[in-house]
Amino acid sequence: MNYNIPDDLMNNVEKNLRKHVKNKMRRKNIYKATAAVILLLTILPASTLAFTKYSSSIQYKQEIDLARKNKNITEVNKTFKYNNVQFTIKEILADDTGIEVIYDVSDPKYSINKISFGDKDNKEFTKDLGYLGGYTLPDLNSTDKEKSFGICFNDNTANYIRNNPVSIKITNLVVSDKKSENIIDKVSSLINNGSNLNVDWTLKMQIPMQQVKVIPVNKEYSLDIGTLKINSFKVSIFKSILDYTFVPKDRNISGIHPLFSVRLGNEYVMDQGGGGAYNEDGSTTGTQSFDSIYYKDLNQIGIKLIGIQANYKSNNSNLYKIDKNNLPMEFDYNGEKFKITSTSQKGDFTEYTVEYNKTDRIYNELDFVFPGVNSSRLTNKRETIQFKDQNSRNSIYNSLEKAVPNLKNIEKQFGSFQAGAVGATVTTTSNKTEFSVSAVKNIIYNEDEVVIHK
């Protein structure tokens, strides 16, 4: 995912929550999943669609406006009613990466809240049928009458949609009363989407699909930690997607998140999100999304690798033992020294205080795993630290600053190349006094820019 509440609090809270969740996902073993988590995508049990919310009423607003201008959008104009509230499905925009449905609602307090997605016979797509995806909904506090929801899916479903009608079933609405001035209510409304406004509306139609252009890249980097390959750069109507594979040299690496500087023409853009899958053979496959260039006339696309966030897995056979009566205690994880300085009991939770050296560092931060834990939380205090290879890091960073104009903004996705945890609070419900450790290392690179053409 402040007593004087600013007007833009909800947007700021959601942005911060999203940033927090994205950073935590990158740090905490996101690559142990068996499939990619790409913004909205998740592994779905049975016939359940997972969903997320975005902070505006229209996702991909600029791309939708451009599609309208270029007459690349499908008009629907199908109306449904709930009591005196009228919902009009106006338009649909689709390509191989997803579907965006734009609708008007006569009372802006109401929004579409739950949907299902099925084939031509109204049979819901499931994981067993090759469906992998989710859907997005606008923030329930949106006051705009024009809103949208999106659907994500994999290649199997995209192939089906090209040749067959599909059914989108709307099953639930949500209504938001006057915005609360209570900060707890405001934050709660982001995650509480419960509603009893059940409906049974079905939109069945053949959806025209816009063409996604796949630009082969096939650039391979032989790095100190393994081999990273950029496979392709996809130009979608909604976003640009870079996909990669990584094979580690060190089997302790449980996944990576590469950081690229992408130049679209003369504009450097930031990664808008992405995810990866940690495969059984130890490799990682993943994607990163950037601004759409579908309607842009570009001569060049530049891709420059500037960093990798590497996740090092815990070794459960190497458990550290805490003697609560003999604190502080010093421990060593692969050469990274840290101390547990104190502990306290707070109800059902045990809280440990951790301190790190600020010099001679190897990793940016550690994570602590307690056996059989039901609930655990880690809060880091981060500062600029000195790494064992600090001179080399400084040299690479200084050269990067000259090559990448918006380096400071891009590196914020890692927190900072030169920052790390100097202290931490670990709160756990585990009654065990032993733990294992995993780690995160942010590595800086200054690889030559790969230039491709749209």
Side-chain angles (χ1 to χ4, degrees):
M1 301 225 279
N2 294 335
Y3 294 103
N4 295 321
I5 301 173
D7 293 337
D8 60 350
L9 178 139
M10 290 307 297
N11 286 339
N12 291 335
V13 168
E14 178 145 344
K15 287 177 183 176
N16 288 333
L17 285 174
R18 285 177 179 278
K19 180 179 179 181
H20 171 75
V21 169
K22 184 164 69 171
N23 289 339
K24 290 293 286 182
M25 286 177 68
R26 286 174 177 170
R27 291 197 295 266
K28 291 179 69 62
N29 303 323
I30 60 171
Y31 299 99
K32 289 183 179 179
T34 57
V37 181
I38 307 169
L39 279 183
L40 316 173
L41 298 190
T42 185
I43 293 194
L44 305 173
S47 59
T48 304
L49 275 173
F51 73 94
T52 186
K53 291 187 182 294
Y54 50 90
S55 58
S56 64
S57 59
I58 300 286
Q59 192 179 30
Y60 304 118
K61 173 65 175 172
Q62 183 178 6
E63 287 75 17
I64 288 170
D65 287 343
L66 286 169
R68 287 168 173 162
K69 181 180 178 180
N70 288 272
K71 303 187 185 305
N72 279 350
I73 199 163
T74 302
E75 294 186 2
V76 181
N77 295 320
K78 173 77 171 179
T79 298
F80 301 97
K81 282 188 177 182
Y82 177 84
N83 293 336
N84 295 322
V85 183
Q86 181 170 295
F87 287 77
T88 301
I89 308 297
K90 296 201 308 180
E91 300 158 309
I92 290 182
L93 182 63
D95 66 17
D96 288 358
T97 68
I99 296 172
E100 195 73 11
V101 180
I102 303 97
Y103 65 93
D104 278 339
V105 58
S106 59
D107 185 342
K109 291 187 299 185
Y110 286 80
S111 300
I112 290 171
N113 188 49
K114 291 182 181 178
I115 67 168
S116 63
F117 184 44
D119 63 15
K120 61 183 179 180
D121 299 317
N122 295 332
K123 185 176 182 179
E124 190 172 354
F125 290 116
T126 66
K127 187 175 69 171
D128 294 336
L129 295 176
Y131 176 79
L132 176 68
Y135 63 93
T136 59
L137 300 168
D139 169 37
L140 64 86
N141 285 320
S142 169
T143 58
D144 294 331
K145 289 187 176 182
E146 185 181 60
K147 304 183 182 186
S148 75
F149 62 85
I151 303 172
C152 259
F153 41 75
N154 67 2
D155 290 342
N156 291 333
T157 309
N159 291 333
Y160 181 92
I161 297 170
R162 283 194 203 96
N163 303 306
N164 300 279
V166 293
S167 57
I168 300 171
K169 190 172 183 179
I170 300 166
T171 60
N172 186 259
L173 310 176
V174 67
V175 60
S176 174
D177 293 326
K178 182 180 178 181
K179 292 185 181 180
S180 171
E181 293 302 317
N182 183 294
I183 188 171
I184 301 299
D185 292 343
K186 282 177 174 282
V187 176
S188 176
S189 70
L190 283 174
I191 57 176
N192 180 15
N193 68 317
S195 172
N196 294 319
L197 309 183
N198 296 321
V199 295
D200 186 9
W201 301 339
T202 299
L203 179 69
K204 184 175 179 180
M205 62 179 291
Q206 179 82 48
I207 300 176
M209 302 277 280
Q210 304 299 320
Q211 184 69 36
V212 173
K213 182 175 182 180
V214 180
I215 306 172
V217 180
N218 297 320
K219 169 62 179 178
E220 192 168 281
Y221 302 93
S222 295
L223 307 172
D224 50 340
I225 62 170
T227 301
L228 174 67
K229 183 179 180 181
I230 303 174
N231 300 307
S232 66
F233 192 83
K234 296 180 181 179
V235 179
S236 152
I237 198 166
F238 299 114
K239 53 197 171 183
S240 303
I241 304 168
L242 180 154
D243 74 282
Y244 63 87
T245 55
F246 174 75
V247 179
K249 290 180 181 177
D250 186 347
R251 290 294 176 178
N252 288 321
I253 294 178
S254 61
I256 62 131
H257 182 91
L259 190 60
F260 295 99
S261 168
V262 172
R263 179 177 55 81
L264 306 179
N266 295 320
E267 178 187 7
Y268 287 81
V269 298
M270 294 177 61
D271 168 14
Q272 299 296 323
Y278 179 54
N279 305 311
E280 290 184 0
D281 63 359
S283 66
T284 298
T285 55
T287 66
Q288 287 186 13
S289 299
F290 301 88
D291 292 344
S292 173
I293 56 172
Y294 193 84
Y295 293 110
K296 290 185 178 181
D297 184 18
L298 297 179
N299 293 323
Q300 289 186 350
I301 301 166
I303 304 172
K304 184 179 182 69
L305 176 66
I306 64 174
I308 287 180
Q309 187 172 83
N311 298 272
Y312 291 80
K313 59 189 174 184
S314 61
N315 184 351
N316 290 326
S317 63
N318 184 19
L319 292 176
Y320 301 86
K321 181 75 173 179
I322 303 171
D323 183 352
K324 293 183 179 181
N325 297 316
N326 192 31
L327 298 179
M329 293 181 67
E330 185 172 83
F331 301 91
D332 187 303
Y333 172 78
N334 294 342
E336 184 77 77
K337 290 182 169 54
F338 62 96
K339 292 180 182 178
I340 294 182
T341 60
S342 64
T343 182
S344 61
Q345 196 69 31
K346 298 185 176 181
D348 294 333
F349 290 86
T350 303
E351 184 176 282
Y352 297 99
T353 302
V354 183
E355 290 183 0
Y356 302 88
N357 295 328
K358 295 185 180 181
T359 59
D360 245 11
R361 293 288 294 275
I362 300 172
Y363 303 99
N364 293 73
E365 60 186 72
L366 303 179
D367 195 14
F368 304 89
V369 182
F370 288 82
V373 67
N374 294 318
S375 177
S376 183
R377 181 174 70 251
L378 172 68
T379 304
N380 282 316
K381 177 185 177 184
R382 294 172 58 85
E383 294 180 7
T384 299
I385 58 177
Q386 296 291 314
F387 294 85
K388 286 182 179 291
D389 60 346
Q390 192 63 51
N391 289 336
S392 173
R393 294 176 72 93
N394 287 342
S395 176
I396 297 172
Y397 190 87
N398 291 338
S399 64
L400 271 178
E401 282 191 304
K402 298 175 183 177
V404 182
N406 58 337
L407 178 62
K408 292 290 186 184
N409 287 330
I410 294 176
E411 71 169 306
K412 285 179 182 177
Q413 296 174 79
F414 282 177
S416 170
F417 279 125
Q418 307 288 32
V422 296
T425 301
V426 183
T427 306
T428 177
T429 57
S430 175
N431 56 9
K432 303 289 186 181
T433 56
E434 54 189 19
F435 63 94
S436 58
V437 175
S438 59
V440 171
K441 181 189 291 187
N442 294 339
I443 309 168
I444 311 175
Y445 295 101
N446 186 13
E447 298 293 323
D448 292 338
E449 185 179 81
V450 179
V451 178
I452 59 178
H453 299 273
K454 182 180 173 185

